[in-house]
Amino acid sequence: MRSRSLFQDSDLSTDSGATSDSEIDVENEDSDEDAPVTASNFAARSRALDAQAAREAQLDEEELQMAAQANADEFADIEDMDEDEEEEREEEKKAGGPEVHVVQKRMRECVRILKRARSEFVEQLVLDIASYYGYNDFLAVKLFQLFPISEAIEFFDANEVPRPVTIRTNTLRTRRRDLAQALINRGVNLEPIGKWTNVGLQVFESSVPIGATPEYLSGHYMLQAASSFLPVIALSPQPHERVLDMASSPGGKTTHMAALMQNTGIIFANDANKARTKSLTANVHRLGCKNVVVCSYDGREFPKVMGGLIVCYSTRHAAGRASSVRMQASKLTRDFTLLSHLQKQLILCAIDSVSPGSKAGGYLVYSTCAVTVDENEAVVDYALRKRPNVRLVDTGLEFGRPGFTSYRGKSFHTSVNLTRRFYPHVHNMDGFFVAKFKVTKRAKQAKEEDEEKHETVMDEDVPSQGVRFDEKEDKEYIQGFSEAKRRRLKARGLRAPARHQFARASGTEDPV
């Protein structure tokens, strides 16, 4: 909005030298604008400021109308040009053919355009996108290659628009209907997010700060992005289960899982950044979650720290969120390589932390707030290759686009299409990726357990009367069985007794 002096505006508004009383007051107040405000000039200066604001608003409105009219005229000119070309061609056909010089001019114009390859136009478009939206060239190319050309522009435009404000009802303290009615009574305009969630509400406008209402302070709801609902819905934790959230701060997804589990079982809410656990702990207490244990470990240490989990949720924070232009402005090839490598380490550690022998089965949800293939499909495909005992299953999400099974010459596992992608220009939420794994027993471990069961059955079938064994001959086999049992205990993360204790228990220890 341009700044103008009151004297200049009053001159522009005069007609043939005629000056109104209000304009004289404006000029007088403009000349005395540095003078102190007193009771005598207070009203006049107030009128002058109101008049100036009204004139500037009127000028801004006129400029917007002129810009809109210019855009409309531009599109109209393009349509008129298309219509004129069609009319010219029809007239040429009626006249028996076009004139020679017109055809020659048209041919030269087509040749001039065709001299440049399509890649040159695409390259120029990407450079313009980087300049216009504030990305660096590398990131602009990285995101541009994810979509067709027309859709890529929609994606970049959607990143410039703020996402809707959404809240999640804490079912440990209230119901969504009661919460909605209480907020409506406080002057909040809201409605349910969609049919895919029964706890989410979208806030359009509010006459009170949505993060400082008595309901918020009482823990009736959590300010949470709609995309953060998705991984918890996919994981669907049940009561009395053991769950690990590897990157839980600030606690939106952790408290969501606690509500689904009805404050039963146990949730290990981990965050590598110890400073972030303060907000996590505060939200856990505010929302009344009693089954949460807050800890701060590097996610890659979790197979050693703890195992035997029924379900596991692995994610990362917005270190590379593609929906934020400012956060991605300095990302380069090395950053994406390091992030992808870290994600591969975390997902393998998460898989190893899950116990496949539980009644409900072991499940893992991997999600990121990024849209690049390097951190999503490439990581999932890596986990499938490195851990043959896992497989992808349906996420249970009714919307979202399937993941890529091939991308720019790279082929991924065919089951990667079970993953789901979410985009701001399609789903009106932050860019997000969700994949769900089913963790089963490893082939070697399952084979050893089957053999152990089979040996137990055979021992029960053999009658004990009149049968004697040569202890010296069987000593080697019994010791080998004990050693295998010790290895299985270590693989499960349990403490195995010393070898001499196994020998004493099995009766194979040499007498002293």
Side-chain angles (χ1 to χ4, degrees):
M1 187 179 293
R2 57 179 60 82
S3 59
R4 309 177 183 85
S5 66
L6 298 179
F7 182 74
Q8 290 172 339
D9 288 340
S10 62
D11 284 346
L12 293 173
S13 63
T14 56
D15 185 14
S16 301
T19 306
S20 62
D21 295 339
S22 60
E23 290 168 347
I24 293 174
D25 292 340
V26 170
E27 294 178 2
N28 292 336
E29 291 304 322
D30 181 53
S31 60
D32 297 335
E33 61 181 358
D34 295 332
V37 178
T38 61
S40 59
N41 65 1
F42 178 80
R45 293 190 64 177
S46 177
R47 288 196 303 270
L49 292 174
D50 292 341
Q52 180 185 6
R55 282 193 299 274
E56 290 184 351
Q58 183 178 1
L59 289 173
D60 291 338
E61 183 66 25
E62 291 176 357
E63 287 182 357
L64 289 175
Q65 292 178 356
M66 291 175 62
Q69 184 63 33
N71 292 334
D73 293 341
E74 182 179 354
F75 288 115
D77 292 340
I78 295 174
E79 293 177 356
D80 292 341
M81 289 174 62
D82 295 338
E83 293 177 357
D84 293 341
E85 289 179 357
E86 292 179 359
E87 291 177 358
E88 289 179 2
R89 290 177 182 175
E90 290 179 0
E91 291 178 357
E92 289 175 354
K93 290 180 181 179
K94 292 178 181 179
E99 296 181 4
V100 177
H101 70 277
V102 174
V103 174
Q104 186 179 13
K105 181 180 178 182
R106 191 183 302 162
M107 289 169 56
R108 289 177 178 174
E109 183 67 19
C110 292
V111 169
R112 184 184 65 83
I113 295 175
L114 294 174
K115 280 182 178 179
R116 297 182 62 185
R118 182 179 183 274
S119 59
E120 295 182 15
F121 289 98
V122 172
E123 183 180 355
Q124 183 61 48
L125 176 61
V126 172
L127 292 176
D128 292 341
I129 287 174
S131 175
Y132 183 78
Y133 293 104
Y135 293 82
N136 60 24
D137 295 343
F138 168 76
L139 186 62
V141 173
K142 199 82 172 174
L143 299 177
F144 181 82
Q145 293 172 347
L146 292 171
F147 309 97
I149 294 178
S150 58
E151 189 177 0
I153 301 300
E154 295 178 5
F155 171 77
F156 286 110
D157 283 335
N159 284 336
E160 300 295 313
V161 180
R163 302 278 81 80
V165 178
T166 54
I167 61 176
R168 177 184 56 81
T169 308
N170 180 22
T171 54
L172 294 175
R173 296 194 184 276
T174 186
R175 296 183 302 174
R176 184 171 69 169
R177 180 185 302 176
D178 299 336
L179 174 63
Q181 188 60 50
L183 293 178
I184 289 172
N185 294 338
R186 295 188 184 280
V188 181
N189 185 11
L190 49 77
E191 68 175 19
I193 293 178
K195 296 181 180 179
W196 55 272
T197 175
N198 56 0
V199 293
L201 292 169
Q202 179 175 341
V203 178
F204 296 100
E205 58 182 357
S206 175
S207 58
V208 295
I210 200 66
T213 62
E215 289 77 15
Y216 176 84
L217 299 176
S218 301
H220 289 191
Y221 64 89
M222 177 81 175
L223 275 168
Q224 188 173 341
S227 57
S228 297
F229 293 22
L230 303 174
V232 179
I233 295 174
L235 186 63
S236 185
Q238 302 300 314
H240 307 289
E241 290 185 342
R242 288 164 56 90
V243 185
L244 168 64
D245 188 350
M246 293 188 74
S248 56
S249 180
K253 293 176 280 293
T254 300
T255 53
H256 191 181
M257 290 189 290
L260 292 178
M261 297 168 64
Q262 302 172 10
N263 257 346
T264 62
I266 186 169
I267 300 174
F268 298 98
N270 179 70
D271 198 281
N273 188 347
K274 194 171 183 179
R276 293 174 63 91
T277 59
K278 294 181 180 179
S279 60
L280 169 62
T281 305
N283 286 321
V284 166
H285 285 294
R286 182 174 62 84
L287 274 71
C289 303
K290 301 178 182 179
N291 61 339
V292 178
V293 176
V294 178
C295 52
S296 179
Y297 289 101
D298 188 325
R300 293 167 290 187
E301 298 178 3
F302 255 90
K304 301 176 183 177
V305 173
M306 149 188 339
L309 300 168
I310 297 177
V311 290
C312 180
Y313 168 58
S314 174
T315 184
R316 69 169 177 80
H317 296 299
R321 178 178 296 181
S323 60
S324 176
V325 178
R326 306 298 178 262
M327 296 177 71
Q328 285 285 19
S330 61
K331 296 297 177 187
L332 299 174
T333 308
R334 183 175 178 273
D335 299 317
F336 277 93
T337 303
L338 292 176
L339 285 173
S340 178
H341 180 68
L342 175 61
Q343 292 298 89
K344 291 174 181 177
Q345 290 179 315
L346 288 174
I347 195 170
L348 293 184
C349 293
I351 292 172
D352 294 339
S353 300
V354 176
S355 173
S358 59
K359 294 181 180 179
Y363 287 95
L364 165 69
V365 167
Y366 172 79
S367 67
T368 65
C369 45
V371 296
T372 55
V373 176
D374 308 65
E375 301 173 73
N376 296 329
E377 286 86 352
V379 176
V380 170
D381 183 71
Y382 175 83
L384 293 174
R385 287 187 284 108
K386 292 295 183 180
R387 294 292 184 270
N389 61 314
V390 301
R391 58 184 175 86
L392 284 171
V393 295
D394 186 30
T395 60
L397 300 173
E398 299 177 355
F399 65 108
R401 292 188 178 179
F404 294 106
T405 54
S406 61
Y407 177 76
R408 302 190 64 80
K410 297 180 181 179
S411 296
F412 305 122
H413 196 276
T414 54
S415 63
V416 176
N417 63 353
L418 293 174
T419 63
R420 286 293 176 265
R421 283 177 156 268
F422 301 90
Y423 298 114
H425 65 288
V426 178
H427 307 102
N428 197 22
M429 60 177 64
D430 291 331
F432 221 79
F433 175 83
V434 179
K436 186 175 183 179
F437 294 89
K438 166 71 173 175
V439 183
T440 58
K441 295 180 181 179
R442 295 186 180 183
K444 184 178 179 180
Q445 180 182 356
K447 184 177 179 180
E448 290 178 352
E449 292 182 0
D450 291 341
E451 290 177 354
E452 184 179 349
K453 291 179 181 178
H454 180 68
E455 291 174 359
T456 304
V457 172
M458 291 295 292
D459 291 341
E460 291 177 355
D461 292 341
V462 175
S464 59
Q465 295 179 358
V467 178
R468 294 183 178 181
F469 298 96
D470 189 346
E471 294 183 358
K472 293 182 179 180
E473 182 180 352
D474 295 339
K475 180 179 179 180
E476 179 182 353
Y477 300 102
I478 295 174
Q479 287 179 346
F481 175 76
S482 300
E483 187 66 24
K485 192 170 183 180
R486 290 184 72 256
R487 286 198 299 269
R488 287 200 301 273
L489 291 174
K490 287 184 177 181
R492 295 176 185 174
L494 302 176
R495 184 177 179 181
R499 287 185 175 85
H500 69 274
Q501 293 179 357
F502 263 109
R504 186 182 298 114
S506 58
T508 60
E509 185 180 16
D510 294 332
V512 179

